[in-house]
Amino acid sequence: MTQTSQAESAAVDTAASVLTVVRDSGQAVFGASQPAKLPIGAIVASQATAQHQESTEVGASIGVWESSPGVFRRHLKNREFSHIISGWCIFTPDGGGPVELRAGDAVLFPANCEGVWDIRETLRKTYVLF
């Protein structure tokens, strides 16, 4: 190994012990689907997560989430950053107007943001809860 490749290898090993990574989120393998916890209407969305990881050092968790079409309430109290990988939906925060989210969009939910998810096409997103 050359000195450069040894240094690069050390940097990768150091990064791996410091970083929490979600890999290949578009191809993530999900666990068993569960019905939405707070459905609205007759069509109940099924949801699953993959690669869920928690970091106590930074007080956050990350992973990949997917939901089939349906309408349900957002019930998380955490702040959340999400990047939409595929699908589309409309999220309507309580007291606000509807926001359309599509593949390629990113969204930041403030703490205690509640509202209604209306998943129109199976939605897959990566998330960070903090």
Side-chain angles (χ1 to χ4, degrees), residues 70-82:
V71 181
F72 52 93
R73 287 203 50 83
R74 181 177 195 270
H75 58 88
L76 298 176
K77 298 295 182 179
N78 308 69
R79 290 179 295 166
E80 176 183 357
F81 172 80
S82 289

Side-chain angles (χ1 to χ4, degrees), residues 23-82:
R23 301 246 183 239
D24 200 11
S25 57
Q27 302 301 316
V29 177
F30 289 86
S33 292
Q34 301 293 320
K37 292 181 181 175
L38 300 171
I40 299 172
I43 298 174
V44 178
S46 288
Q47 301 163 349
T49 59
Q51 300 186 47
H52 179 81
Q53 302 170 63
E54 294 187 29
S55 173
T56 55
E57 292 84 23
V58 296
S61 60
I62 66 171
V64 185
W65 178 85
E66 185 172 85
S67 179
S68 66
V71 181
F72 52 93
R73 287 203 50 83
R74 181 177 195 270
H75 58 88
L76 298 176
K77 298 295 182 179
N78 308 69
R79 290 179 295 166
E80 176 183 357
F81 172 80
S82 289

Side-chain angles (χ1 to χ4, degrees), residues 82-96:
S82 289
H83 177 256
I84 310 301
I85 300 166
S86 61
W88 75 281
C89 71
I90 298 170
F91 181 77
T92 306
D94 291 350

